[in-house]
Amino acid sequence: QQQVKQSPQSLIVQKGGISIINCAYENTAFDYFPWYQQFPGKGPALLIAIRPDVSEKKEGRFTISFNKSAKQFSLHIMDSQPGDSATYFCAASWGGNTPLVFGKGTRLSVIA
Amino acid sequence: DAGVIQSPRHEVTEMGQEVTLRCKPISGHDYLFWYRQTMMRGLELLIYFNNNVPIDDSGMPEDRFSAKMPNASFSTLKIQPSEPRDSAVYFCASRRTSGGNEQFFGPGTRLTVL
């Protein structure tokens, strides 16, 4: 099954808090797991991505945690800021020549 | 460096009319994807091309939808006849084989069918 299940659908976090979004997949052939960020009126843009040979990748305040045995990965946003308010999509693909399969998205609101 | 270009940005039409959405991928990219985004279904892949050839159109909802890529710098998504349930934001994305899996999205076309 080529699904990626994302939760929660929406998330409200206080400024300075940690935002956590989770994704689960079924296809063990997936070998690329990106997170995309979408602001209103814009197209999604790559935020951070990980491959299954590592369990964690950090870029600034954004961290992907990857659990291969559980077939889950998550996005952590540390010190969340109002400017992080956006919709976040997890995705997965395999083999380098297949399209991304997207989760349904999480709408994050960071309130002051 | 220009990103993916889509036109029009907004389209309002009446049920039964033909709608054509346009996309110019990033130069040098050999994959082009068409997605539809709605609140209920999220981002759905409709069709994708590699080197101008359609690879998988299984996401195209009905025969009313068709897509073409006559050359490496242009693609169209056509809906004929349009229906209110086609109202959504349609995104075009592109990537190149040697660039990993990163897909670059255009700004989208917001389609409203009355």
Side-chain angles (χ1 to χ4, degrees), chain A residues 21-94:
Chain A
I21 306 170
N22 301 298
C23 278
Y25 63 97
E26 297 176 3
N27 187 346
T28 54
F30 285 147
D31 61 2
Y32 175 71
F33 303 90
W35 285 90
Y36 277 71
Q37 181 187 54
Q38 183 182 28
F39 293 106
K42 305 289 187 182
L46 179 65
L47 181 64
I48 186 173
I50 197 169
R51 294 199 181 267
D53 52 342
V54 296
S55 61
E56 186 175 281
K57 182 174 182 180
K58 184 175 180 180
E59 290 184 1
R61 296 184 294 108
F62 301 90
T63 299
I64 298 180
S65 296
F66 183 78
N67 186 329
K68 189 173 182 178
S69 61
K71 292 188 286 185
Q72 295 176 347
F73 59 110
S74 60
L75 176 69
H76 296 235
I77 306 174
M78 310 299 288
D79 186 27
S80 300
Q81 299 297 312
D84 297 329
S85 297
T87 300
Y88 293 81
F89 294 92
C90 63
S93 69
W94 61 274

Coordinates of all heavy atoms in Angstrom, one line a residue, chain A residues 21-94:
Chain A
I21 N 4.9 16.6 14.7 CA 4.0 16.0 13.7 C 4.5 14.6 13.3 O 5.7 14.4 13.1 CB 3.9 16.9 12.4 CG1 3.6 18.4 12.8 CG2 2.9 16.4 11.4 CD1 3.7 19.3 11.7
N22 N 3.6 13.7 13.2 CA 4.0 12.3 13.0 C 3.5 11.7 11.7 O 2.4 12.1 11.2 CB 3.4 11.5 14.2 CG 3.9 11.9 15.5 OD1 5.2 11.9 15.8 ND2 3.0 12.3 16.4
C23 N 4.2 10.8 11.2 CA 3.8 10.1 10.0 C 4.2 8.6 10.1 O 5.2 8.3 10.7 CB 4.5 10.7 8.7 SG 3.6 12.2 8.1
A24 N 3.3 7.8 9.5 CA 3.6 6.4 9.4 C 3.4 5.9 8.0 O 2.6 6.5 7.2 CB 2.6 5.7 10.3
Y25 N 4.2 4.9 7.6 CA 4.1 4.4 6.3 C 4.0 2.9 6.3 O 4.3 2.3 7.3 CB 5.3 4.9 5.4 CG 6.6 4.4 5.9 CD1 7.3 3.3 5.4 CD2 7.3 5.1 7.0 CE1 8.5 2.8 5.8 CE2 8.5 4.6 7.4 CZ 9.1 3.5 6.9 OH 10.3 3.1 7.3
E26 N 3.7 2.3 5.2 CA 3.5 0.8 5.1 C 4.5 0.2 4.2 O 5.0 -0.9 4.4 CB 2.1 0.5 4.7 CG 1.1 1.0 5.7 CD -0.4 0.7 5.3 OE1 -0.5 0.1 4.2 OE2 -1.3 1.1 6.0
N27 N 4.9 0.9 3.1 CA 5.7 0.3 2.1 C 7.2 0.4 2.5 O 7.8 1.4 2.6 CB 5.6 1.1 0.8 CG 6.3 0.5 -0.4 OD1 7.1 -0.4 -0.2 ND2 6.0 1.0 -1.6
T28 N 7.7 -0.8 2.8 CA 9.1 -0.9 3.3 C 10.1 -0.6 2.2 O 11.3 -0.5 2.5 CB 9.4 -2.3 3.9 OG1 9.1 -3.3 2.9 CG2 8.5 -2.5 5.1
A29 N 9.7 -0.4 1.0 CA 10.6 0.0 -0.1 C 10.9 1.5 -0.1 O 11.9 1.9 -0.7 CB 10.1 -0.4 -1.4
F30 N 10.1 2.3 0.6 CA 10.4 3.7 0.7 C 11.8 4.0 1.2 O 12.2 3.4 2.2 CB 9.4 4.4 1.6 CG 8.0 4.5 1.0 CD1 6.9 4.5 1.8 CD2 7.8 4.8 -0.3 CE1 5.6 4.6 1.3 CE2 6.6 4.9 -0.9 CZ 5.4 4.9 0.0
D31 N 12.5 4.9 0.6 CA 13.9 5.2 1.0 C 14.2 6.7 1.1 O 15.3 7.1 1.1 CB 14.9 4.4 0.2 CG 14.8 4.8 -1.3 OD1 14.0 5.7 -1.6 OD2 15.6 4.3 -2.1
Y32 N 13.2 7.5 1.0 CA 13.3 8.9 1.0 C 12.1 9.5 1.7 O 11.0 9.2 1.3 CB 13.5 9.4 -0.4 CG 13.6 11.0 -0.5 CD1 14.7 11.6 -0.1 CD2 12.5 11.7 -1.1 CE1 14.8 13.0 -0.2 CE2 12.6 13.1 -1.2 CZ 13.8 13.7 -0.8 OH 13.9 15.1 -0.9
F33 N 12.4 10.3 2.7 CA 11.3 10.8 3.6 C 11.5 12.3 3.8 O 12.2 12.8 4.7 CB 11.3 10.1 4.9 CG 11.1 8.6 4.8 CD1 12.3 7.8 4.7 CD2 9.9 8.0 4.7 CE1 12.2 6.4 4.6 CE2 9.8 6.6 4.6 CZ 10.9 5.8 4.5
P34 N 10.8 13.1 3.0 CA 10.9 14.6 3.1 C 9.7 15.2 3.9 O 8.7 14.5 4.0 CB 10.9 15.1 1.7 CG 10.0 14.1 1.0 CD 10.2 12.8 1.7
W35 N 9.9 16.3 4.4 CA 8.9 17.2 4.9 C 8.8 18.4 4.1 O 9.8 19.1 3.8 CB 9.1 17.5 6.4 CG 8.9 16.4 7.3 CD1 9.8 15.5 7.7 CD2 7.6 16.1 7.9 NE1 9.2 14.6 8.6 CE2 7.9 14.9 8.7 CE3 6.3 16.6 7.9 CZ2 6.9 14.3 9.5 CZ3 5.4 16.0 8.7 CH2 5.6 14.9 9.5
Y36 N 7.6 18.8 3.7 CA 7.3 20.0 2.9 C 6.5 21.0 3.7 O 5.7 20.6 4.5 CB 6.6 19.7 1.6 CG 7.4 19.2 0.5 CD1 8.0 17.9 0.5 CD2 7.7 20.0 -0.6 CE1 8.9 17.5 -0.5 CE2 8.5 19.6 -1.7 CZ 9.1 18.3 -1.6 OH 9.9 17.9 -2.6
Q37 N 6.8 22.3 3.5 CA 6.1 23.3 4.3 C 5.4 24.2 3.2 O 5.9 24.5 2.2 CB 7.2 24.2 5.0 CG 6.7 25.4 5.8 CD 7.9 26.2 6.3 OE1 8.7 26.7 5.5 NE2 7.9 26.4 7.6
Q38 N 4.1 24.5 3.5 CA 3.3 25.3 2.6 C 2.7 26.4 3.4 O 1.9 26.3 4.3 CB 2.2 24.4 2.0 CG 1.4 25.2 1.0 CD 0.3 24.3 0.4 OE1 -0.2 23.4 1.0 NE2 -0.1 24.6 -0.9
F39 N 3.0 27.6 2.9 CA 2.3 28.8 3.4 C 1.1 29.1 2.5 O 1.0 28.8 1.3 CB 3.3 30.0 3.4 CG 4.4 29.9 4.4 CD1 5.7 29.6 3.9 CD2 4.2 30.0 5.7 CE1 6.7 29.4 4.8 CE2 5.2 29.9 6.6 CZ 6.5 29.6 6.2
P40 N 0.1 29.8 3.1 CA -1.1 30.1 2.3 C -0.8 30.8 1.0 O 0.0 31.8 0.9 CB -1.9 31.1 3.3 CG -1.4 30.7 4.6 CD 0.0 30.3 4.5
G41 N -1.5 30.3 0.0 CA -1.3 30.9 -1.4 C 0.0 30.5 -2.1 O 0.3 31.1 -3.2
K42 N 0.7 29.6 -1.5 CA 2.0 29.2 -2.1 C 2.0 27.7 -2.3 O 1.2 27.0 -1.8 CB 3.2 29.6 -1.1 CG 3.3 31.0 -0.7 CD 3.7 31.9 -1.9 CE 3.9 33.3 -1.4 NZ 4.2 34.2 -2.5
G43 N 3.0 27.3 -3.1 CA 3.1 25.8 -3.3 C 4.0 25.3 -2.2 O 4.8 26.0 -1.6
P44 N 3.9 24.0 -1.9 CA 4.8 23.4 -0.9 C 6.2 23.5 -1.3 O 6.6 23.5 -2.5 CB 4.3 21.9 -0.9 CG 3.0 21.9 -1.6 CD 3.0 23.0 -2.6
A45 N 7.1 23.6 -0.3 CA 8.5 23.7 -0.5 C 9.2 22.8 0.4 O 8.8 22.6 1.6 CB 9.0 25.1 -0.3
L46 N 10.3 22.1 -0.1 CA 11.0 21.2 0.8 C 11.6 21.9 2.0 O 12.3 22.9 1.9 CB 12.2 20.6 -0.1 CG 13.1 19.6 0.7 CD1 12.2 18.3 1.1 CD2 14.2 19.2 -0.2
L47 N 11.4 21.3 3.1 CA 11.9 21.8 4.4 C 13.1 21.0 4.9 O 14.2 21.6 5.1 CB 10.8 21.7 5.5 CG 11.1 22.3 6.8 CD1 11.4 23.7 6.8 CD2 9.9 21.9 7.8
I48 N 13.0 19.7 4.9 CA 14.1 18.9 5.4 C 13.7 17.4 4.9 O 12.5 17.1 4.8 CB 14.2 19.0 6.9 CG1 15.4 18.2 7.5 CG2 12.9 18.5 7.6 CD1 15.7 18.4 8.9
A49 N 14.7 16.6 4.7 CA 14.5 15.3 4.3 C 15.5 14.3 4.9 O 16.6 14.7 5.3 CB 14.6 15.1 2.8
I50 N 15.1 13.0 5.0 CA 16.0 12.0 5.6 C 15.9 10.7 4.8 O 14.9 10.5 4.1 CB 15.6 11.8 7.1 CG1 16.7 11.1 7.9 CG2 14.3 11.0 7.1 CD1 16.4 11.0 9.4
R51 N 17.0 10.0 4.9 CA 17.0 8.7 4.3 C 17.1 7.7 5.4 O 17.6 8.0 6.5 CB 18.1 8.5 3.2 CG 17.9 9.4 2.0 CD 18.7 9.0 0.8 NE 18.5 9.9 -0.3 CZ 17.6 9.7 -1.2 NH1 16.8 8.6 -1.2 NH2 17.4 10.6 -2.2
P52 N 16.7 6.4 5.2 CA 16.6 5.5 6.3 C 17.9 5.0 6.9 O 17.9 4.2 7.8 CB 15.8 4.3 5.7 CG 16.0 4.4 4.3 CD 16.2 5.9 4.0
D53 N 19.1 5.4 6.4 CA 20.3 5.0 7.0 C 20.7 5.8 8.2 O 21.7 5.4 8.9 CB 21.5 5.1 5.9 CG 21.5 6.4 5.3 OD1 20.6 7.2 5.3 OD2 22.6 6.7 4.7
V54 N 19.9 6.8 8.5 CA 20.2 7.6 9.8 C 18.9 7.7 10.6 O 17.8 7.6 10.0 CB 20.7 9.0 9.5 CG1 22.1 8.9 8.9 CG2 19.8 9.8 8.7
S55 N 19.0 7.8 11.8 CA 17.8 7.9 12.7 C 17.3 9.3 13.0 O 16.2 9.5 13.5 CB 18.0 7.2 14.0 OG 19.1 7.8 14.7
E56 N 18.2 10.3 12.7 CA 17.8 11.7 13.0 C 18.6 12.6 12.1 O 19.7 12.4 11.8 CB 18.1 12.0 14.5 CG 17.7 13.3 14.9 CD 17.9 13.5 16.4 OE1 17.1 13.0 17.2 OE2 18.9 14.2 16.8
K57 N 17.9 13.7 11.7 CA 18.6 14.7 10.9 C 18.1 16.1 11.5 O 16.9 16.3 11.6 CB 18.3 14.6 9.5 CG 19.0 15.6 8.6 CD 18.8 15.4 7.1 CE 19.6 16.4 6.3 NZ 19.4 16.1 4.8
K58 N 19.0 17.0 11.7 CA 18.7 18.3 12.3 C 19.2 19.4 11.4 O 20.3 19.4 10.9 CB 19.3 18.4 13.6 CG 19.0 19.7 14.4 CD 19.6 19.6 15.8 CE 19.2 20.9 16.6 NZ 19.7 20.9 17.9
E59 N 18.3 20.3 11.1 CA 18.7 21.5 10.4 C 18.0 22.7 11.1 O 16.8 23.0 11.1 CB 18.2 21.5 8.9 CG 18.9 20.5 8.1 CD 18.5 20.5 6.6 OE1 17.6 21.3 6.3 OE2 19.0 19.6 5.9
G60 N 18.9 23.4 11.9 CA 18.4 24.5 12.6 C 17.4 24.1 13.7 O 17.7 23.2 14.5
R61 N 16.2 24.7 13.7 CA 15.2 24.3 14.7 C 14.4 23.1 14.3 O 13.5 22.6 15.0 CB 14.3 25.5 14.9 CG 15.0 26.7 15.5 CD 14.0 27.9 15.8 NE 13.4 28.4 14.6 CZ 12.2 28.2 14.2 NH1 11.3 27.5 15.0 NH2 11.7 28.8 13.1
F62 N 14.6 22.6 13.1 CA 13.9 21.5 12.5 C 14.6 20.2 12.6 O 15.8 20.1 12.2 CB 13.5 21.8 11.1 CG 12.7 23.0 10.9 CD1 13.3 24.2 10.7 CD2 11.3 23.0 11.0 CE1 12.6 25.4 10.5 CE2 10.5 24.2 10.9 CZ 11.2 25.4 10.6
T63 N 14.0 19.1 13.1 CA 14.6 17.8 13.3 C 13.6 16.8 12.7 O 12.4 16.8 13.1 CB 14.9 17.5 14.7 OG1 15.9 18.5 15.2 CG2 15.6 16.1 14.9
I64 N 14.2 15.8 12.0 CA 13.4 14.6 11.6 C 13.9 13.5 12.5 O 15.1 13.2 12.5 CB 13.5 14.2 10.1 CG1 13.0 15.3 9.2 CG2 12.8 12.9 9.8 CD1 13.2 14.9 7.7
S65 N 13.0 12.8 13.1 CA 13.3 11.5 13.8 C 12.7 10.4 13.0 O 11.6 10.4 12.6 CB 12.8 11.5 15.2 OG 13.4 12.5 15.9
F66 N 13.5 9.3 12.8 CA 13.1 8.2 11.9 C 13.3 6.9 12.7 O 14.3 6.6 13.2 CB 14.0 8.2 10.6 CG 13.6 7.2 9.6 CD1 12.5 7.3 8.8 CD2 14.3 6.0 9.5 CE1 12.1 6.4 7.9 CE2 14.0 5.0 8.6 CZ 12.9 5.2 7.8
N67 N 12.2 6.1 12.6 CA 12.2 4.8 13.3 C 11.8 3.8 12.3 O 10.6 3.6 11.9 CB 11.2 4.8 14.5 CG 11.2 3.5 15.3 OD1 11.5 2.5 14.7 ND2 10.9 3.6 16.5
K68 N 12.9 3.1 11.7 CA 12.7 2.2 10.6 C 11.8 1.0 11.1 O 10.9 0.5 10.3 CB 14.0 1.7 10.1 CG 13.9 0.9 8.8 CD 15.3 0.7 8.3 CE 15.3 -0.1 7.0 NZ 16.6 -0.3 6.4
S69 N 12.1 0.5 12.2 CA 11.4 -0.7 12.7 C 9.9 -0.5 12.9 O 9.0 -1.3 12.6 CB 12.0 -1.3 14.0 OG 11.9 -0.3 15.0
A70 N 9.6 0.7 13.3 CA 8.2 1.1 13.5 C 7.5 1.7 12.3 O 6.3 1.9 12.3 CB 8.0 2.1 14.7
K71 N 8.3 1.9 11.3 CA 7.9 2.6 10.0 C 7.2 3.9 10.3 O 6.0 4.1 9.9 CB 7.0 1.6 9.2 CG 7.7 0.4 8.7 CD 6.9 -0.5 7.8 CE 5.9 -1.3 8.5 NZ 5.1 -2.2 7.7
Q72 N 7.9 4.7 11.1 CA 7.4 6.0 11.5 C 8.5 7.0 11.4 O 9.6 6.7 11.6 CB 6.8 6.0 12.9 CG 5.6 5.1 13.1 CD 5.2 5.0 14.5 OE1 5.9 5.4 15.4 NE2 4.0 4.5 14.8
F73 N 8.1 8.3 11.1 CA 9.0 9.4 11.2 C 8.2 10.6 11.6 O 7.0 10.7 11.4 CB 9.8 9.6 9.8 CG 8.9 9.9 8.6 CD1 8.9 11.1 8.0 CD2 8.1 8.8 8.0 CE1 8.1 11.4 6.9 CE2 7.4 9.1 6.9 CZ 7.4 10.3 6.4
S74 N 9.0 11.5 12.2 CA 8.3 12.7 12.7 C 9.1 13.9 12.5 O 10.3 13.9 12.3 CB 8.0 12.5 14.2 OG 9.2 12.3 14.9
L75 N 8.4 15.1 12.6 CA 9.1 16.4 12.4 C 8.9 17.1 13.8 O 7.8 17.2 14.3 CB 8.4 17.2 11.3 CG 8.9 18.6 11.2 CD1 10.3 18.7 10.7 CD2 8.0 19.4 10.3
H76 N 10.0 17.6 14.3 CA 10.0 18.3 15.5 C 10.5 19.8 15.2 O 11.5 19.9 14.5 CB 11.0 17.7 16.6 CG 10.6 16.4 17.0 ND1 10.4 16.1 18.3 CD2 10.3 15.2 16.3 CE1 10.1 14.8 18.5 NE2 10.0 14.3 17.3
I77 N 9.7 20.7 15.6 CA 10.1 22.1 15.4 C 10.3 22.7 16.8 O 9.4 22.8 17.6 CB 9.0 22.9 14.7 CG1 8.6 22.3 13.4 CG2 9.5 24.4 14.5 CD1 7.5 22.9 12.7
M78 N 11.6 23.0 17.1 CA 11.9 23.5 18.4 C 11.7 25.0 18.4 O 11.8 25.7 17.4 CB 13.4 23.2 18.7 CG 13.8 21.7 18.5 SD 12.9 20.6 19.6 CE 13.7 21.0 21.1
D79 N 11.5 25.6 19.6 CA 11.3 27.0 19.8 C 10.4 27.6 18.7 O 10.7 28.5 17.9 CB 12.7 27.7 19.7 CG 12.6 29.2 20.0 OD1 11.7 29.6 20.7 OD2 13.5 29.9 19.5
S80 N 9.2 27.0 18.6 CA 8.3 27.3 17.5 C 8.0 28.8 17.5 O 7.8 29.4 18.6 CB 7.0 26.5 17.6 OG 7.2 25.1 17.6
Q81 N 7.9 29.4 16.3 CA 7.7 30.8 16.1 C 6.4 31.1 15.3 O 6.0 30.2 14.5 CB 8.8 31.5 15.4 CG 10.2 31.3 16.2 CD 10.1 32.1 17.5 OE1 9.7 33.2 17.6 NE2 10.5 31.4 18.6
P82 N 5.8 32.2 15.5 CA 4.6 32.5 14.7 C 4.8 32.3 13.1 O 3.9 31.9 12.4 CB 4.2 33.9 15.0 CG 4.7 34.1 16.5 CD 6.0 33.2 16.5
G83 N 6.0 32.7 12.7 CA 6.4 32.5 11.3 C 6.4 31.1 10.8 O 6.5 30.8 9.6
D84 N 6.4 30.1 11.8 CA 6.3 28.7 11.4 C 4.9 28.3 11.1 O 4.7 27.1 10.6 CB 6.9 27.8 12.6 CG 8.3 28.1 12.9 OD1 9.1 28.5 12.0 OD2 8.7 27.9 14.1
S85 N 3.9 29.1 11.4 CA 2.5 28.8 11.1 C 2.4 28.5 9.6 O 2.6 29.4 8.8 CB 1.6 29.9 11.5 OG 1.7 30.1 12.9
A86 N 2.0 27.3 9.3 CA 1.9 26.8 7.9 C 1.3 25.4 7.9 O 1.0 24.9 9.0 CB 3.3 26.8 7.3
T87 N 1.1 24.9 6.7 CA 0.7 23.5 6.6 C 2.0 22.6 6.3 O 2.7 23.0 5.4 CB -0.3 23.3 5.5 OG1 -1.5 24.1 5.9 CG2 -0.8 21.8 5.4
Y88 N 2.1 21.6 7.0 CA 3.3 20.7 6.8 C 2.8 19.3 6.3 O 1.9 18.7 6.8 CB 4.0 20.5 8.2 CG 4.7 21.8 8.6 CD1 3.9 22.7 9.3 CD2 6.0 22.0 8.4 CE1 4.5 23.9 9.7 CE2 6.6 23.2 8.8 CZ 5.8 24.2 9.5 OH 6.4 25.4 9.9
F89 N 3.6 18.9 5.3 CA 3.3 17.6 4.7 C 4.5 16.7 4.8 O 5.6 17.1 4.5 CB 3.0 17.7 3.2 CG 1.7 18.5 2.8 CD1 1.8 19.9 2.6 CD2 0.5 17.9 2.7 CE1 0.7 20.6 2.3 CE2 -0.6 18.6 2.4 CZ -0.5 19.9 2.2
C90 N 4.2 15.5 5.3 CA 5.2 14.4 5.1 C 5.0 13.7 3.8 O 4.0 13.8 3.2 CB 5.2 13.4 6.3 SG 3.7 12.5 6.4
A91 N 6.1 13.1 3.3 CA 6.0 12.4 2.1 C 7.0 11.2 2.1 O 7.9 11.1 3.0 CB 6.3 13.3 0.9
A92 N 6.9 10.4 1.1 CA 7.8 9.3 1.0 C 7.9 8.9 -0.5 O 7.0 9.1 -1.3 CB 7.4 8.1 1.8
S93 N 9.0 8.3 -0.9 CA 9.2 7.7 -2.2 C 10.3 6.7 -2.2 O 11.0 6.5 -1.2 CB 9.5 8.8 -3.2 OG 10.8 9.3 -3.0
W94 N 10.5 6.0 -3.3 CA 11.5 5.0 -3.3 C 12.1 4.9 -4.7 O 11.5 5.3 -5.7 CB 10.9 3.6 -2.9 CG 9.9 3.1 -3.8 CD1 8.5 3.4 -3.7 CD2 10.0 2.3 -5.0 NE1 7.8 2.8 -4.8 CE2 8.7 2.1 -5.5 CE3 11.1 1.7 -5.6 CZ2 8.5 1.3 -6.7 CZ3 10.9 0.9 -6.8 CH2 9.6 0.7 -7.3

